[in-house]
Amino acid sequence: MSADTLEQADNENSKQSPERKKRELANALVEALARGPAAHTDKPEQSAQQPSSAGSSEGARLMRVLALGFVLRLFILTFSSDFVSKHLSTRVELGTPVTSYNRLVEGLHLAAQGISPFDGGLFHQSPLLLILFRAPFGWLPQLFSDVLFVAADVSVALMLAKIAAKKITLPSFAARPLVPGETAFYCLPSAVAMLYLFNPLTLATCLARSTIVFSHLATVCALYFGIGGQINTAVALVAVATHLSLYPAVLIAPLSLMASGLPGRSEAGPQPSSLATGAVLPLLKFVVFFVAIHALFVLLYGFKYFSATVEFTLQVADLQPNVGLFWYFFIEIFDEFRQFFIAVFQLTALAFTVPISWRFRKDPLFGSVLLVGIVSALKSYPSWGDLSLFLGLIPIYEELVKYMQYTFLSANLLLYGVGLAPVFWHLWIEQGSGNANFFYAATLVYVFGQITLLFDLGSAQLRRQLDIEHPETRERTVVQE
């Protein structure tokens, strides 16, 4: 073999080594996360490879992050309960009529007295939450209820970390070529969990005991099992998340594309014949699961349950101010136009489901991330907790950060919206020196920041795909006249 041939082989191996190391380390991370914290107590063998030790180290780091997040939340809830009850639990930015802990307590009180919780006109949440909190509320101290909220929030962070580790091993990701000149990289699972757990919006949502955390848990679990190929489990979890919060139903479209098994294998994407067999079946299963859950509770509570939950959310029956677009508009609208604009607003939130899912059919996980962000901005009863989940999913696609052009703009819009909302609420409600326009203006800035971030993230993914498929375009200069 000639020296030139040997040199060429060495160059090819050196080019493939970053990708091979990435795959080996990713597999080690997934294996370490699957084993759990008990695996780190075993003594490694002398012949253990470097990726395995790196995976074990990353698993231990993740457990420390989760433990710190758990302890911090429980410490604040235990030793600052008065502050939480006075300043967080009643915030309209953190709790809505369908996620408020105070309304959940009202429903638990009614159920304890043998009265249907849906008769009072205040409780609009899932009966599953009544079942979950019945024992802690009735016979156990408040600490046990707090542990449920904290455990759910930390579990969301754990599942986000598992999604980040699992994504690297997906065929659609591992087989994808890199941008010319780019070094293989990814966001560590522990970093993904840390960015979610210590986000002030996430922390405030958990401390306010917003029940949205349980919907978030079902949502991220559905995404994890979906990318792992366990479609039946993912569909059932989406049905549960939809039962809790209604809008996660949009995720059934990207999950159906995951079920088709074709994204990443074919450049043309899923074919119509494959969609008829592989993608429609999960949709039918979702409908069966969703109808079965609601039919069960209709039998237990009557049709008042359905009108107090699903119909309540769709009709926007309670116009309590929040960080969404619905409440102010429907306060001002004439009653004869109400049904028309309700249909327009609700369809706006759902209309992006099929286009987004189909445009990013080669990467349904990314389509799911965008849909979570769209729901966060356009649902009828949003809160800061919805944005926290969207922000927690973005680090999974760290490779897109360098392609985002409006990060400074979207960050400032979100910071202004989050910072001004409590100020304008104080001026409006407590001091009386402002009015509803003040608070709604902050809401518009907040929603516009989310839409800007969504547009920037989607454009970054498309630009990256263009650089991969047509690297020659990176050298061209665009001249505008």
Side-chain angles (χ1 to χ4, degrees):
M1 185 178 294
S2 63
D4 294 338
T5 304
L6 290 174
E7 183 178 358
Q8 183 178 2
D10 291 339
N11 292 334
E12 292 179 355
N13 291 334
S14 62
K15 291 179 181 179
Q16 296 175 357
S17 59
E19 185 68 22
R20 186 184 300 112
K21 290 180 180 179
K22 181 188 75 171
R23 292 287 303 279
E24 292 175 355
L25 182 55
N27 291 327
L29 289 175
V30 174
E31 183 180 355
L33 291 176
R35 289 198 306 264
H40 309 304
T41 59
D42 300 332
K43 181 180 294 185
E45 298 180 1
Q46 296 296 327
S47 60
Q49 299 294 326
Q50 184 177 359
S52 298
S53 61
S56 299
S57 175
E58 174 60 20
R61 189 182 301 113
L62 173 62
M63 293 305 160
R64 289 195 294 269
V65 170
L66 296 176
L68 181 58
F70 187 94
V71 171
L72 175 63
R73 284 160 167 75
L74 198 58
F75 178 84
I76 297 176
L77 286 172
T78 303
F79 296 99
S80 301
S81 57
D82 293 338
F83 172 82
V84 170
S85 300
K86 182 178 179 180
H87 297 285
L88 293 180
S89 296
T90 58
R91 297 300 312 179
V92 296
E93 301 92 344
L94 298 172
T96 68
V98 295
T99 62
S100 171
Y101 178 71
N102 293 334
R103 298 203 180 205
L104 174 62
V105 172
E106 179 69 21
L108 290 169
H109 274 296
L110 292 175
Q113 299 298 322
I115 304 173
S116 173
F118 303 103
D119 288 340
L122 288 177
F123 184 72
H124 306 287
Q125 303 181 40
S126 167
L128 292 176
L129 298 175
L130 295 176
I131 298 173
L132 180 63
F133 285 93
R134 180 172 298 172
F137 177 79
W139 304 296
L140 299 175
Q142 176 65 35
L143 177 63
F144 288 87
S145 297
D146 295 341
V147 168
L148 286 177
F149 281 102
V150 174
D153 206 28
V154 173
S155 297
V156 172
L158 174 61
M159 297 311 298
L160 288 174
K162 287 192 172 186
I163 291 173
K166 188 72 174 178
K167 172 206 165 198
I168 309 170
T169 64
L170 295 177
S172 59
F173 181 83
R176 183 183 305 165
L178 296 172
V179 176
E182 181 183 62
T183 303
F185 62 93
Y186 57 92
C187 192
L188 293 174
S190 60
V192 173
M194 182 180 64
L195 290 173
Y196 174 81
L197 283 176
F198 300 103
N199 181 344
L201 300 181
T202 307
L203 186 61
T205 300
C206 181
L207 295 179
R209 303 184 183 95
S210 172
T211 56
I212 194 66
V213 297
F214 298 100
S215 176
H216 289 172
L217 179 58
T219 299
V220 295
C221 286
L223 294 179
Y224 174 73
F225 287 112
I227 64 176
Q230 303 179 43
I231 300 300
N232 290 334
T233 305
V235 169
L237 287 168
V238 169
V240 172
T242 304
H243 170 71
L244 293 171
S245 187
L246 193 61
Y247 290 92
V250 300
L251 297 178
I252 194 60
L255 281 178
S256 297
L257 293 176
M258 294 178 191
S260 68
L262 291 177
R265 299 183 187 179
S266 172
E267 291 297 328
Q271 303 298 323
S273 59
S274 301
L275 288 175
T277 57
V280 175
L281 186 59
L283 177 60
L284 296 177
K285 292 179 180 178
F286 166 76
V287 173
V288 171
F289 281 127
F290 182 73
V291 171
I293 294 174
H294 284 283
L296 174 62
F297 290 120
V298 167
L299 291 176
L300 292 176
Y301 295 101
F303 284 98
K304 288 185 178 180
Y305 150 75
F306 190 82
S307 62
T309 54
V310 177
E311 185 180 350
F312 176 86
T313 302
L314 292 177
Q315 292 291 332
V316 200
D318 191 329
L319 296 179
Q320 172 184 305
N322 53 60
V323 293
L325 301 174
F326 284 69
W327 65 274
Y328 186 86
F329 185 86
F330 287 103
I331 287 176
E332 301 293 336
I333 199 69
F334 292 110
D335 289 341
E336 54 264 32
F337 302 114
R338 179 181 175 84
Q339 293 302 319
F340 171 76
F341 282 104
I342 281 179
V344 171
F345 272 60
Q346 297 289 10
L347 288 176
T348 301
L350 302 176
F352 295 95
T353 303
V354 174
I356 291 292
S357 300
W358 185 254
R359 181 61 185 86
F360 298 102
R361 60 190 178 275
K362 297 180 183 179
D363 191 356
L365 178 61
F366 182 77
S368 301
V369 173
L370 289 184
L371 290 176
V372 168
I374 291 172
V375 166
S376 170
L378 301 179
K379 66 189 295 188
S380 55
Y381 291 108
S383 65
W384 286 346
D386 296 290
L387 176 61
S388 69
L389 178 62
F390 176 48
L391 295 178
L393 287 165
I394 292 178
I396 296 175
Y397 283 89
E398 186 190 15
E399 66 269 17
L400 301 181
V401 173
K402 65 180 181 180
Y403 285 91
M404 298 176 69
Q405 297 179 332
Y406 305 107
T407 305
F408 180 78
L409 174 61
S410 57
N412 275 276
L413 288 171
L414 291 174
L415 287 174
Y416 276 113
V418 171
L420 290 177
V423 175
F424 287 160
W425 178 266
H426 177 76
L427 293 175
W428 173 28
I429 299 298
E430 298 181 17
Q431 286 194 347
S433 57
N435 55 44
N437 295 326
F438 286 43
F439 185 77
Y440 193 63
T443 296
L444 291 177
V445 173
Y446 171 79
V447 173
F448 183 61
Q450 293 182 77
I451 294 175
T452 304
L453 181 59
L454 279 166
F455 173 80
D456 199 14
L457 187 64
S459 300
Q461 176 76 324
L462 295 177
R463 283 195 296 271
R464 178 177 169 80
Q465 289 179 358
L466 181 64
D467 283 351
I468 292 175
E469 296 171 1
H470 302 283
E472 68 277 3
T473 60
R474 304 181 70 199
E475 305 299 329
R476 295 179 181 176
T477 302
V478 179
V479 179
Q480 295 182 349
E481 297 181 356

